Amino acid sequence: MTAGSTTAVPAASSADAVHALLAAGSIADVSLISAEHDLHTTLLPQPVDSPGIDKRAARLLDALAAILVSRAQHEVIAIGAQVQHSNDLSDHSGKLQLVLAANAALPQTIQAYLEEVWKCMQLLAEHRQQLRLPEAKDQQRARMAELIYRHNFPKFLRRVRKREAAALRFLEAMQNHITKEDALQYDSTAAVLSMLIHYSELIDLLSAHQVGGKNEVSVDVVSDPNFLPTMDGLWLAFRNLRSMGEHSFHLWSLRLPDHSTVELWRFFNKVTLIHGSIAELESAARSTRLYRLFRKKLFVEIVDYPRKRVTLPTSQDAWATLIDTALNSAQPLKPIQPRVIQSTAAALSTRFSDKSVSCEIHCECKILQHFTTTAYKIKPINYIGVSKLSCTGCTAVFDSYNKLQNSQGHRFYTRGAHGKWYFPWFLPKVGGGVKQIDFTNRVYRKLAGQYAQCLKTVALSHSSALSEGSQEVSGTPEDFMYHKAKIVGFFDKIKA
């Protein structure tokens, strides 16, 4: 319900009702719905398996979105692209337009930073047959990595420190539990131990560059000659572990029950995210399919839309009516008990006592709005990279928009959802008149069905199963020789 309206309950299938449903879902216990996704919210980009998506380009856009983040918290960035080829078929030049949006104001330096990263990738594309991990011998790759880590350092440092004590305790426990011979016998054990050793070395590096407390570290640590090799080894070990399956790490919870491998897996997933994104950028620049993209002239556009105020239902009865209407639309197989509806309505009335809320369109939806309301002669790439998986509202937006398209329509995709409900949130525009009305109806029905499931879940259960991680290319024999050499040095150092 927009500001200034006097209606107590928003009309079903209206934008007002969509906003109110998002607000309702944001305070519900959705742990069951989101738990399956939570462990994978920061994995390397895994584009959706939909027809017509260039997965290589999708991974590139997700990696670019990840390396654009600079704030320690509360920053999500999305990136879209449009490619214009030269009219001369023998000329591989042309124009690449990158469109950026964020959930908050982007730093003024973001465009210059992205252009510098792009220059590094252009040089990598010119010499695309050289570097292989874990050795960091390529000057342009090293320059690009340092540039990215300097930009991302506040976020990187926060991630590295978050589970520091738990990770180091886990390393100590493994050190006391296994011998050097055990570690050398099994590849999965070698990868786990190598990952922990590299992490310990990273902590030592950060400590050597502290300028105050543990969270006050000079960004110049990224220029330390040991920083990039340490991160190369840490990323390689985690990548190899992931290729063997997440279970290969979680088995250690049986041998070391005092340690939460679930939390540590998420932790190392986040710690290595930027390095994995750097590897993806390097891979794209050296790709025989994509390297010509880096011959094009880069243009960067930043899009934003003003925040708008939303007025929510004004009483417990109004919230109860809204929930009833949504359930009638969703038609759940098993009715939700009235006491659940009333207690939820009471909680909502208390939580949103300030009825007028300032809301912003989420960044991936900003780009969708820009692409769908701008007259393009050449259609943008149908994939939008995002630095974080999409929330429930944004997922409903993309799903609803795509279902509006006929067989010839231009759909847009992101890499997936984390299943959480967020509010404040504002519905984007994807057109005018009947198209926007149909789109809004679809978003409302989608959210009503998910909200009904949410209420049923809250009422019935508090348990869930974890999903398997994504499949990766298996580690090479050279990878595990590297890990085992690292382990030999580690145990020899302890013995000495």
Side-chain angles (χ1 to χ4, degrees):
M1 192 179 310
T2 54
S5 172
T6 58
T7 306
V9 182
S13 297
S14 66
D16 298 337
V18 169
H19 298 142
L21 269 180
L22 259 297
S26 70
I27 75 161
D29 180 3
V30 294
S31 60
L32 294 176
I33 296 173
S34 63
E36 177 179 343
H37 304 281
D38 251 2
L39 294 180
H40 310 295
T41 56
T42 53
L43 283 179
L44 267 187
Q46 300 295 330
V48 290
D49 189 16
S50 299
I53 290 181
D54 184 330
K55 292 182 174 58
R56 194 60 144 163
R59 291 178 70 89
L60 170 61
L61 289 172
D62 276 331
L64 286 172
I67 62 116
L68 288 172
V69 173
S70 61
R71 294 187 177 93
Q73 290 180 278
H74 311 307
E75 185 178 37
V76 187
I77 295 177
I79 182 167
Q82 182 205 34
V83 180
Q84 296 182 16
H85 299 288
S86 170
N87 292 329
D88 183 355
L89 296 179
S90 65
D91 183 4
H92 295 298
S93 65
K95 173 183 175 181
L96 173 66
Q97 179 91 23
L98 293 180
V99 181
L100 312 184
N103 284 4
L106 286 166
Q108 294 181 347
T109 57
I110 194 78
Q111 182 171 338
Y113 161 69
L114 181 54
E115 289 170 351
E116 283 299 309
V117 171
W118 196 257
K119 288 177 184 177
C120 291
M121 296 180 70
Q122 287 177 320
L123 290 170
L124 284 172
E126 291 178 9
H127 308 92
R128 61 184 188 279
Q129 298 299 323
Q130 296 176 7
L131 184 65
R132 294 292 181 269
L133 284 177
E135 298 173 349
K137 297 177 180 177
D138 187 279
Q139 184 178 4
Q140 288 305 322
R141 174 186 177 270
R143 180 173 176 271
M144 181 174 73
E146 180 177 341
L147 187 68
I148 291 170
Y149 272 112
R150 281 185 176 274
H151 177 81
N152 186 263
F153 193 69
K155 185 74 169 181
F156 172 74
L157 182 61
R158 184 175 186 275
R159 284 172 170 162
V160 169
R161 292 296 198 192
K162 190 169 185 179
R163 297 274 185 270
E164 177 183 340
L168 295 179
R169 283 197 305 270
F170 191 57
L171 172 60
E172 183 179 3
M174 283 197 70
Q175 176 186 329
N176 294 332
H177 188 79
I178 63 174
T179 64
K180 179 170 68 174
E181 289 69 27
D182 292 331
L184 297 178
Q185 185 176 359
Y186 302 104
D187 286 347
S188 61
T189 302
V192 172
L193 194 51
S194 178
M195 179 178 72
L196 293 167
I197 292 169
H198 280 97
Y199 175 75
S200 176
E201 292 175 348
L202 174 62
I203 294 301
D204 290 341
L205 267 178
L206 295 177
S207 298
H209 288 267
Q210 277 185 212
V211 292
K214 64 183 298 185
N215 292 319
E216 298 175 283
V217 178
S218 171
V219 70
D220 289 334
V221 67
V222 305
S223 300
D224 189 298
N226 293 317
F227 179 81
L228 190 54
T230 299
M231 288 307 305
D232 280 340
L234 179 55
W235 155 242
L236 181 66
F238 182 76
R239 185 185 68 181
N240 292 153
L241 266 178
R242 200 167 63 191
S243 73
M244 289 183 277
E246 193 176 320
H247 65 278
S248 62
F249 185 72
H250 293 316
L251 285 174
W252 282 97
S253 65
L254 302 177
R255 302 173 69 177
L256 302 171
D258 293 336
H259 300 268
S260 172
T261 57
V262 171
E263 288 297 325
L264 285 173
W265 181 263
R266 293 182 64 197
F267 170 67
F268 282 110
N269 189 9
K270 292 181 179 181
V271 168
T272 58
L273 173 66
I274 288 301
H275 215 76
S277 297
I278 292 170
E280 190 61 49
L281 297 181
E282 181 198 358
S283 176
R286 298 180 185 279
S287 165
T288 55
R289 293 177 53 205
L290 288 183
Y291 79 93
R292 291 182 179 87
L293 185 66
F294 302 100
R295 295 183 182 179
K296 301 187 184 301
K297 188 173 182 179
L298 178 67
F299 293 85
V300 178
E301 180 181 7
I302 297 174
V303 298
D304 199 7
Y305 297 97
R307 298 177 70 92
K308 296 187 178 181
R309 298 203 72 83
V310 168
T311 302
L312 298 173
T314 56
S315 67
Q316 180 176 333
D317 287 344
W319 278 111
T321 301
L322 176 100
I323 295 170
D324 271 328
T325 304
L327 294 178
N328 287 335
S329 172
Q331 296 181 337
L333 293 177
K334 185 173 182 179
I336 305 299
Q337 296 180 5
R339 63 176 179 80
V340 174
I341 295 174
Q342 289 300 323
S343 62
T344 303
L348 287 164
S349 181
T350 301
R351 169 64 179 81
F352 296 107
S353 56
D354 183 1
K355 311 303 179 184
S356 180
V357 181
S358 175
C359 295
E360 183 159 14
I361 301 173
H362 281 195
C363 56
E364 59 266 55
C365 291
K366 288 179 182 178
I367 292 183
L368 180 68
Q369 176 167 322
H370 179 71
F371 281 166
T372 56
T373 58
T374 303
Y376 283 104
K377 291 182 179 179
I378 300 173
K379 293 184 182 299
I381 291 175
N382 66 349
Y383 190 89
I384 297 172
V386 193
S387 63
K388 186 176 182 179
L389 294 176
S390 297
C391 70
T392 296
C394 294
T395 305
V397 161
F398 279 84
D399 182 69
S400 300
Y401 176 80
N402 288 340
K403 287 181 178 177
L404 276 176
Q405 308 307 303
N406 57 33
S407 59
Q408 302 300 317
H410 195 64
R411 296 170 173 82
F412 288 96
Y413 301 92
T414 65
R415 66 187 172 117
H418 53 56
K420 294 181 180 179
W421 297 63
Y422 281 114
F423 188 80
W425 182 98
F426 200 85
L427 185 71
K429 292 182 179 179
V430 298
V434 174
K435 183 176 182 180
Q436 182 70 19
I437 292 171
D438 194 2
F439 165 72
T440 304
N441 287 341
R442 288 177 181 271
V443 174
Y444 175 80
R445 292 197 299 269
K446 181 83 173 176
L447 290 176
Q450 291 181 297
Y451 188 66
Q453 178 62 31
C454 175
L455 287 186
K456 183 175 71 173
T457 301
V458 170
L460 295 180
S461 178
H462 284 278
S463 63
S464 65
L466 299 179
S467 64
E468 287 295 319
S470 58
Q471 295 301 309
E472 295 283 333
V473 177
S474 298
T476 66
E478 290 78 12
D479 291 345
F480 292 102
M481 287 176 61
Y482 171 83
H483 297 319
K484 290 173 183 179
K486 192 74 178 178
I487 289 166
V488 169
F490 175 73
F491 278 100
D492 287 350
K493 183 178 179 180
I494 293 173
K495 186 176 180 180

